[in-house]
Amino acid sequence: MKRFERLLKNRGNSYVGITIFVMVMMMVLVFIMNVAPVFLLKMKMDTYAQELCREAEIAGRIGSEVNTRLARLNESTGLSPDVTWSASGKIQIGNTFTVTVSAQTDFSFFIFSGNPITIASTAEGTSEVFWK
């Protein structure tokens, strides 16, 4: 019986504790909802760079094939990032090259609104074509 009376006396304390817990959990949830799109964009950019790199490996050059693949990737992903290559033109078999893909996105969380951040992804490849 005493235990039950003690629970009734401390009920106000537990309401305050639960309220604070719920508020903290809601803030964590909002933070996760604001950060998740940034991580998803980073994963998209990684895949984007890898696919461009693979196309250049197969073609053995940075040319029309890669530009066609770039246009298809822009259309399918909805992204239009800046693309930078470490090489240009024909790439001899065994030579390596890198592609860097970068884009800006806004990151906002409560008072930190409208802060643009740059997300970049890099992929490295080796040409598979022998040019005579």
Side-chain angles (χ1 to χ4, degrees):
M1 189 63 147
K2 288 183 181 184
R3 183 174 159 177
F4 184 69
E5 288 175 5
R6 199 172 6 156
L7 277 174
L8 288 176
K9 285 182 184 178
N10 291 331
R11 182 176 279 178
N13 251 354
S14 45
Y15 283 143
V16 171
I18 289 172
T19 303
I20 291 173
F21 176 76
V22 168
M23 286 175 43
V24 168
M25 290 308 295
M26 291 304 288
M27 287 179 63
V28 167
L29 183 64
V30 168
F31 179 74
I32 289 171
M33 289 174 60
N34 284 327
V35 172
V38 174
F39 284 109
L40 292 175
L41 179 61
K42 174 64 174 157
M43 290 186 336
K44 267 188 188 179
M45 298 280 282
D46 288 341
T47 304
Y48 194 101
Q50 289 170 357
E51 288 190 25
L52 272 181
C53 185
R54 184 63 187 144
E55 189 69 36
E57 285 176 339
I58 293 169
R61 65 180 178 163
I62 314 300
S64 60
E65 300 90 352
V66 175
N67 291 333
T68 303
R69 183 68 176 152
L70 180 67
R72 284 190 311 192
L73 283 171
N74 285 346
E75 184 180 315
S76 66
T77 62
L79 300 174
S80 57
D82 299 324
V83 179
T84 309
W85 295 91
S86 66
S88 61
K90 294 181 179 180
I91 304 169
Q92 192 58 265
I93 189 169
N95 291 344
T96 61
F97 59 90
T98 59
V99 60
T100 303
V101 179
S102 62
Q104 280 197 338
T105 186
D106 286 332
F107 177 71
S108 60
F109 182 67
F110 292 123
I111 60 171
F112 307 109
S113 61
N115 295 325
I117 58 172
T118 302
I119 297 177
S121 294
T122 302
E124 184 175 317
T126 305
S127 176
E128 298 178 2
V129 176
F130 177 72
W131 295 100
K132 292 182 182 183

